[in-house]
Amino acid sequence: MSRAAASPPLVPPAKQEHDATLFGMGIFLASEFLLFGGLFTILVFYRIVHGHEVVEASKELHLWIGALNTVVLLTSSLAAALAAKSAKDGDQRLTQRLLLAAAALGAVFLVIKAGEYSLEYGDGMLPVPGGGGQLVEPLSRLFMNIYLVATGLHAVHLTIGIGLFVFTAFRIWHRSIRLPQDQLSIVVPTLYWHLVDIVWIFLYPALYLQR
Amino acid sequence: MSALSKTSEDGSIIGLEHEPAGETRHERESYLRAGHTLRSWLLTTDHKRIALLYLVSVTFFFFIGGLAAAIMRVDLLTPEADLLTNEGYNRAFTLHGVIMVWFFLIPSIPNVFGNFLIPLMIGARDLAFPRLNLLSWYIYWLGGLFTLWVLVSGGVDTGWTFYTPLSSMFAQGNVVMAATAVFIVGFSSILTGLNFIVTIHTMRAPGMHWGRLPLFVWSHYATSVILVLATPVLTVTLALIAAERLFGLGIFDPALGGDPLLYQHLFWFYSHPAVYIMVLPGLAVVSELVAAAARKPVFGYWFVAYSSIAIAAIGFLVWAHHMFVSGMSMYAGAVFSFLSLVVAVPSGIKVYNWTATLWKGHISLDPPFLFAMGFIGLFVVGGLTGLILAMLAVDVHVHDTYFVVAHFHYIMVGGTVSAYFGALHFWWPKMTGRLYPVFWGRVTAVMIFVGFNLTFFPQFILGFLGMPRRYHVYDQQFQVLHVLSSTGATILGFAYLFPLIYLLYALRHGTPASANPWDVTGLEWTVPSPPPKHNFERIPLVTRKPYDYEVEKEEQS
C-alpha cells in the first residue's frame, strides 16, 4: 500500500453519499424482512405441524375485510411510487400531495384494521385480556396469537411510515427539502413504505388465505 | 513499505525536550484534542471518539460480568452452597452470561476497533453514517441501563439462553426487563453492522479494491452480515417471550398449543451465528497481528478472506447442534452434525495460513504477537473440542456438562478476549499516541494464557466426568478440579486488571509514539499517532497490495 501522490477522489462525495444512503436503506430493509421472517417461520411451522387446525382457525378471520385492506394498502403504495417519480421530476406540489394521499390511505388501513379487531373482540376471538372467550381450542388460540402479533407488528410499521410521510410532506412545505436535488429524502421513506406493503402481501395469504 | 514507514516517522516527538512526556504537536492536532468539553465527546460523530466511548463502556461491563464470574468461582470452591443460595447462583451465572455476551463480547472488537480502524484502513474520513454510529452507542447504553436495572432489582435466573417454558412460565426473576435489555441492544448491533457494510462498499479510497483490503476489514464485513441478518430474528423471539409473560400469548406454551422447542430453534438461529459474531472479529485481529509480527504477506490472502465469508455463511446452517438432545429427528441431527463439522474447515484454513505466514518470518516477541499466539493455541483447543461436540454420540454424553462450558470459553474468552487484548496492545499507540511498557504487556499476555488454561482445562475433565453445568452443589470428587479452576480464575482476574493500570499510566507518562511504532504496513499507520480529526489530510491513493513487506527480496540478497 502506498500513500504516493494523493489524488482527488475519483467519486464525487455527493454521488458517494447518494449510493451509501440507498445501499444502507437496502440493508436496513433486509434486516426488517428477517424481523418478520421469524414470524413467517412460526406460521409455516404450525401450518405444517397442525395443518387441519390452522386451516379451521384461518376460516374464522374476516377474509373480505382483509381483502379490502389489501386494496387500500396497494393503492397507497401506488401513490407512494408516483410520489417518488414526481420527486425525480422536481414537482414539489404534486409530490407533497401524493405523500399525503399515501399517508391518508395508510390511516384508512389502520381504521379498517381497528374495526376488524373490535369485531373479533366482540366475537370473543381476540386473545387479549377480556377477550378471547371463544378461543377454547388451544390451536385456534395459538393461531389468533400469531395473527395478533404479526398484524400488530405490521401496524406499528405502518404507523411509523405514516409519520415519515407526513413529516416529509411538511419538510417540502417548509422548503427544507428541495426537489429534484433532495429526491433521496422522498425515495427513502417510499422504500420503507414498500417494505410495509410487501410484508402485508405475504401476511394476507399466510393468515387469511390458508383456508 | 519500509521506505514509507521510515519517512512517516517525522516529528512525532517534537516538544519532548521542553516538557518530558508532555503534549506533542500531533497530539495537539489530533482528534483527542478537537474539543475538550463533555458535550464534544457525548455528541461527537467522529468514529474514533465513538470507538473510545465504546472502549470505556465495554470495559465497564466486562468488569461487572467478570465480578459475577468471580463470585461464582468463589462459591464453587466447596461442594456446598456456602456463599450463594441456589437462586443467587442462578442469577449470578445468568447475569454473567447476558452481560458478557451482549454487552462485552458482541460489541467489543467491532465497536471499539472496527469503529476506530475500518475508516482508517480503507482510506476514509469516517463511517458512511456517522450520526447513526453515535445513535448505536446511545442505544447500547439504553440497553445497558436496563441490564443494570435488572441487576439492582433482583436479577434474572433463566440462564442467558432464556429457554422456554422456564423463562415464560416458571422463572421468578425479572425476565421481561432482561429480554428488553437484549432486545434494545440488538438494534445497536444492527446499526453498527449496517454502517460497516455500507462503509466498506462505498467509502474505499481510490485504488483500494477488494483484493487490497486488509483482512481485518474482510472479517468485519462477514461479521456485519451476520449482525444484520441474525439479530432481527432474536429481536422478534424475545418480543414473543415478553408477550407470553405479559399478555399470556402462548406461542411457546404447550398448554395453549405452542411449542417450546420452536423457541430453541429461533433462539439458536440467532445465537449460533452470534458465536461467529463474537469470534470473527477476533480472527480479524489475529490476521493483522500475525502479518505484523512475521513482517511477511499473509499466506493465501484470498483463502483467509473468503474463509471469513464461508464461516459466516455456514454459521447460519448449524444452529440445531445445540439441540441434539432436545428431541429432533435422527436425520436432522445427522445433517446438523455434518454441517457443524464442515464449519471447522474454513476455521482450520485460517490457522494453517497464520502458521504458514509465520514460517521464516522476522518475528519479534512483542506483546501483540504473544496475544496472537495465545489466541491461536486456545482457539485450536476450543475448535477441536467443538468437533468433538459436533459428533452426535459424544454430544449426548457430554451435553450440558462443564465440557461444553470449557469449549465455548476457549473460543470466546480464550479466543476473543485474547484477540481483544492483542488489539488493544497493538493499536493503543495509534489510538492514544503513547507507548506503554512492553514488559508488562508481555507479562499480561503470558499470565492470561496460563491463567486461562488453569481455569478452563480442568473444566474439560469435570465435564467428561459428568459434572453438569449451572450447578453449584456438587459431588465431593469434583472439588480438586474446581479449586484448580478457581485458582486459575484468580490469576486470570489479575491479568485482566494489569492492562487497566499500565495502559492508563501510559496515557500520561508513556513515550510519545511515532506514526508507525511497529514498522508495519497498513493505511492506519501512515497517519500520525493519534490521528488528526479527519484522518487523512488528503485521501490516499492505494497502489499496492496489503502486507506488502519486502521479505522475498531480502532473502534473495
Side-chain angles (χ1 to χ4, degrees), chain A residues 1-3 5-7 10 16 20-21 23-24 27-28 31 34-35 39 42 45-46 138-139 141-142 145-146 149, chain B residues 129 194 197-198 201-203 228-229 232 236 240 249-251 256-259 526 538 541-546:
Chain A
M1 253 176 277
S2 168
R3 198 155 59 138
S7 71
L10 300 177
Q16 196 179 41
T21 308
F23 191 57
I27 292 168
F28 173 72
S31 114
L34 264 292
L35 185 74
L39 288 173
I42 293 174
F45 174 79
Y46 283 118
L139 274 159
R141 187 179 187 95
L142 177 71
N145 278 335
I146 304 171
V149 171
Chain B
F129 306 112
L194 189 157
I197 294 177
V198 176
H201 269 275
T202 61
M203 307 279 285
V228 168
L229 295 184
V236 79
L240 291 174
L249 241 66
I251 287 171
L256 298 173
D259 190 340
T526 64
R538 309 175 72 177
L541 175 70
V542 183
T543 53
R544 293 158 81 177
K545 285 188 297 190

Side-chain angles (χ1 to χ4, degrees), chain B residues 267-279:
Chain B
F267 179 80
W268 288 116
F269 181 82
Y270 161 79
S271 286
H272 194 81
V275 171
Y276 297 108
I277 295 175
M278 294 177 236
V279 79

Side-chain angles (χ1 to χ4, degrees), chain B residues 206-217:
Chain B
M208 177 60 90
H209 55 63
W210 290 87
R212 288 177 182 162
L213 283 178
L215 291 164
F216 182 90
V217 179

Side-chain angles (χ1 to χ4, degrees), chain A residues 69-194:
Chain A
N69 249 347
T70 310
V71 173
V72 170
L73 194 59
L74 289 184
T75 313
S76 82
S77 265
L78 177 66
L82 291 174
K85 186 179 178 302
S86 71
K88 283 173 191 159
D89 298 342
D91 190 337
Q92 311 216 127
R93 254 182 105 78
L94 182 62
T95 309
Q96 193 184 357
R97 285 180 177 176
L98 283 166
L99 285 176
L100 289 175
L105 283 165
V108 170
F109 178 98
L110 287 180
V111 169
I112 296 175
K113 191 77 218 160
E116 190 183 355
Y117 280 147
S118 76
L119 273 179
E120 284 153 356
Y121 185 82
D123 293 343
M125 294 297 290
L126 207 62
V128 290
Q134 295 302 310
L135 295 169
V136 279
E137 286 289 314
L139 274 159
S140 66
R141 187 179 187 95
L142 177 71
F143 182 80
M144 291 308 284
N145 278 335
I146 304 171
Y147 161 80
L148 187 62
V149 171
T151 53
L153 189 63
H154 178 257
V156 168
H157 279 77
L158 193 63
T159 312
I160 294 170
I162 293 172
L164 278 176
F165 275 2
V166 172
F167 178 62
T168 311
F170 170 78
R171 285 179 70 200
I172 297 175
W173 175 80
H174 189 252
R175 309 260 173 219
S176 54
I177 293 179
R178 289 180 179 277
L179 301 173
Q181 314 73 300
D182 302 329
Q183 49 170 285
L184 212 53
S185 307
I186 315 295
V187 171
V188 167
T190 58
L191 280 175
Y192 183 82
W193 196 260
H194 293 315

Side-chain angles (χ1 to χ4, degrees), chain A residues 49-82:
Chain A
V49 178
H50 306 290
H52 178 67
E53 292 90 337
V54 168
V55 168
E56 287 304 311
S58 170
K59 284 183 183 164
E60 299 292 329
L61 293 178
H62 297 91
L63 179 70
W64 291 105
I65 299 183
L68 177 65
N69 249 347
T70 310
V71 173
V72 170
L73 194 59
L74 289 184
T75 313
S76 82
S77 265
L78 177 66
L82 291 174

Side-chain angles (χ1 to χ4, degrees), chain B residues 236-255:
Chain B
V236 79
T237 310
L238 290 173
L240 291 174
I241 291 263
E244 184 155 346
R245 276 185 85 94
L246 293 175
F247 309 116
L249 241 66
I251 287 171
F252 307 122
D253 179 0

